[in-house]
Amino acid sequence: MRSAVVVGAGLGGMAVAGVLARSGWQVTLLERADRVRPEATAVVLWPNGVRALRALGLGDGLDAIATPLPDGGVRRPDGHWLVQPRSTPAERMPVVVHREDLHDALIAGLGDRVELRTGVTVRTVRAASGERPAVGDGRHTYEADLVVAADGADSEIRRQLAPESSVVSSGCAAWRAVIPWYRAPQLPDDQPLHGETLGAGYRFLAASLGERGNAGASRRGGVYWVATAAGAPRPEPPEVQLALLKRWFAGWPAPIGTLLEATDPDDVVQQEIRELRPLPKAYGFPAGPGGVVLLGDAAHAMPPHLGQGACLAFEDAATLAGLLRESRLPDAVTAYDRLRRPRAATMVRQTRRMSAVLQARGRLALRARDAALGTISPRMRNTAAAAAAAWQPPS
């Protein structure tokens, strides 16, 4: 029986651990935290991410928890439309999923061939040509035919195998929250919920997680919002951070103020936005009978402006699983590197182009952005959407 060690029990790590176990592998899943607990926020999945989850055998579970996310357009803080809402074909429309629902679906897909060990901080990695790949925490060594580094942007495995790649700040921070339906405000019909508002270094998006009263036993409903602002994360407690958000977004179009008022401090999750620069020179490292691969943010952490972080992690997992079904293990590691590096580079390039538009600051830069956004943004988004939609799991 082939064996794998997966480092990191985030979305990508659980996805790859589950698909390997369902394919007959014996999997050890190592997690740094003492508990595997998702954020009480949400994640947007574009068609490529949905397609990847279906390739991983998780499509039925996704259908029960996902909500289509129509195009809501882009406005300025004064309410002026920069990009009007547009009709989106169903096959190009993203969906939004509560992270806890997605976490539950991934946990259910692990099966009984996955041994989950928490409180394990990986400190060493072995990827020599004549030995089985392995990782260690200073007390134990975990050997396997395959090691999957899904340990996030701060991956110790990547730091040792691809030291040329570093985590750097993207120059902004994000705040996310889900307002459960029992606290979510009733909004008038003339106040669009879905949509995006852009200011000078500030951005606010909101989306509905299902319909009020129709959450069901397998879905957590509510209103999801995310706000971004230029600068470093705030050190203040959540109550002060929420007060700052209310001040920063005061006077912005409805229902932004209403949503912030309905948010409890405990709902808010702050995150520093970081990225890898440059990307690693390799995503696969053959070793012994198999090798080590980088997956998810460990391979291609990027700003969330195109919503591709989780999608690419699921692509990584589906690609690796497909290659392992069709190829010998060392060949699959090499093929994974060959397929995933250019794919990640394309999406990172598209994300950085969008970042330059969204993070414009200064009067002249904002005027130029707003004047051109109606033409540039749809074209740029269409290009990015086409690049994302072009992915197919390996046959």
Side-chain angles (χ1 to χ4, degrees):
M1 179 184 299
R2 293 189 293 182
S3 62
V5 171
V6 178
V7 183
L11 298 181
M14 286 197 295
V16 74
V19 72
L20 290 178
R22 294 191 298 275
S23 301
W25 289 60
Q26 185 63 47
V27 181
T28 301
L29 178 58
L30 306 178
E31 169 57 35
R32 179 188 300 114
D34 292 331
R35 295 177 56 192
V36 179
R37 182 173 56 187
E39 295 176 351
T41 60
V43 60
V44 174
L45 298 175
W46 289 83
N48 55 312
V50 173
R51 194 177 301 124
L53 283 173
R54 296 195 187 285
L56 291 166
L58 299 171
D60 291 343
L62 178 65
D63 291 339
I65 59 177
T67 301
L69 183 59
D71 188 316
V74 183
R75 295 179 293 176
R76 288 193 319 216
D78 61 5
H80 175 78
W81 285 103
L82 296 171
V83 181
Q84 290 281 350
R86 297 169 300 161
S87 176
T88 305
E91 66 274 10
R92 296 279 294 274
M93 188 178 294
V95 298
V96 60
V97 184
H98 199 292
R99 278 186 177 266
E100 292 180 341
D101 287 336
L102 185 55
H103 173 87
D104 290 348
L106 293 170
I107 286 288
L110 291 179
D112 57 5
R113 289 185 183 273
V114 177
E115 179 188 4
L116 173 60
R117 298 191 181 188
T118 58
V120 178
T121 300
V122 169
R123 305 182 188 280
T124 61
V125 57
R126 187 176 69 207
S129 59
E131 300 179 278
R132 294 183 80 204
V135 294
D137 65 353
R139 296 174 299 170
H140 304 286
T141 298
Y142 302 89
E143 288 187 346
D145 300 313
L146 175 70
V147 171
V148 180
D151 47 345
D154 292 312
S155 170
E156 178 63 23
I157 297 175
R158 186 203 61 246
R159 189 188 69 80
Q160 295 187 32
L161 297 182
E164 72 280 356
S165 185
S166 300
V167 184
V168 299
S169 172
S170 297
C172 58
W175 291 260
R176 296 179 172 86
V178 170
I179 309 170
W181 278 133
Y182 68 85
R183 278 198 280 108
Q186 290 275 8
L187 300 176
D189 292 338
D190 61 350
Q191 289 188 9
L193 175 59
H194 301 288
E196 175 179 350
T197 308
L198 291 177
Y202 295 87
R203 185 188 190 199
F204 195 97
L205 303 93
S208 171
L209 289 166
E211 297 181 6
R212 187 185 297 270
N214 290 333
S218 63
R219 173 184 290 184
R220 295 167 174 85
V223 177
Y224 170 57
W225 61 257
V226 55
T228 58
R234 304 294 304 195
E236 298 90 350
E239 309 83 50
V240 178
Q241 293 183 30
L242 183 57
L244 285 171
L245 290 170
K246 292 176 181 178
R247 187 176 74 192
W248 292 341
F249 292 97
W252 284 43
I256 293 174
T258 304
L259 295 180
L260 290 175
E261 287 295 335
T263 302
D264 281 351
D266 289 342
D267 297 333
V268 181
V269 177
Q270 181 186 212
Q271 176 190 11
E272 181 183 14
I273 303 303
R274 300 181 300 162
E275 59 190 285
L276 291 182
R277 286 184 179 261
L279 292 177
K281 295 179 180 177
Y283 287 168
F285 305 86
V292 180
V293 298
L294 305 181
L295 183 146
D297 282 351
H300 40 63
M302 67 186 77
H305 304 311
L306 292 178
Q308 284 296 316
C311 295
L312 287 185
F314 293 141
E315 281 188 24
D316 292 342
T319 300
L320 181 61
L323 292 171
L324 290 170
R325 285 192 295 267
E326 302 296 331
S327 308
R328 294 174 58 251
L329 186 49
D331 296 335
V333 172
T334 301
Y336 176 84
D337 177 64
R338 185 179 67 250
L339 291 175
R340 295 312 296 165
R341 275 193 299 118
R343 171 64 176 166
T346 296
M347 297 315 302
V348 167
R349 183 167 59 250
Q350 297 289 350
T351 297
R352 288 174 181 168
R353 291 181 63 199
M354 185 60 73
S355 297
V357 172
L358 298 179
Q359 296 186 27
R361 302 185 70 182
R363 183 177 301 176
L364 293 178
L366 287 172
R367 285 181 179 176
R369 181 198 69 185
D370 292 352
L373 194 59
T375 300
I376 294 175
S377 182
R379 185 170 68 242
M380 189 179 298
R381 290 175 187 228
N382 288 341
T383 300
W391 179 83
Q392 296 287 343
S395 57

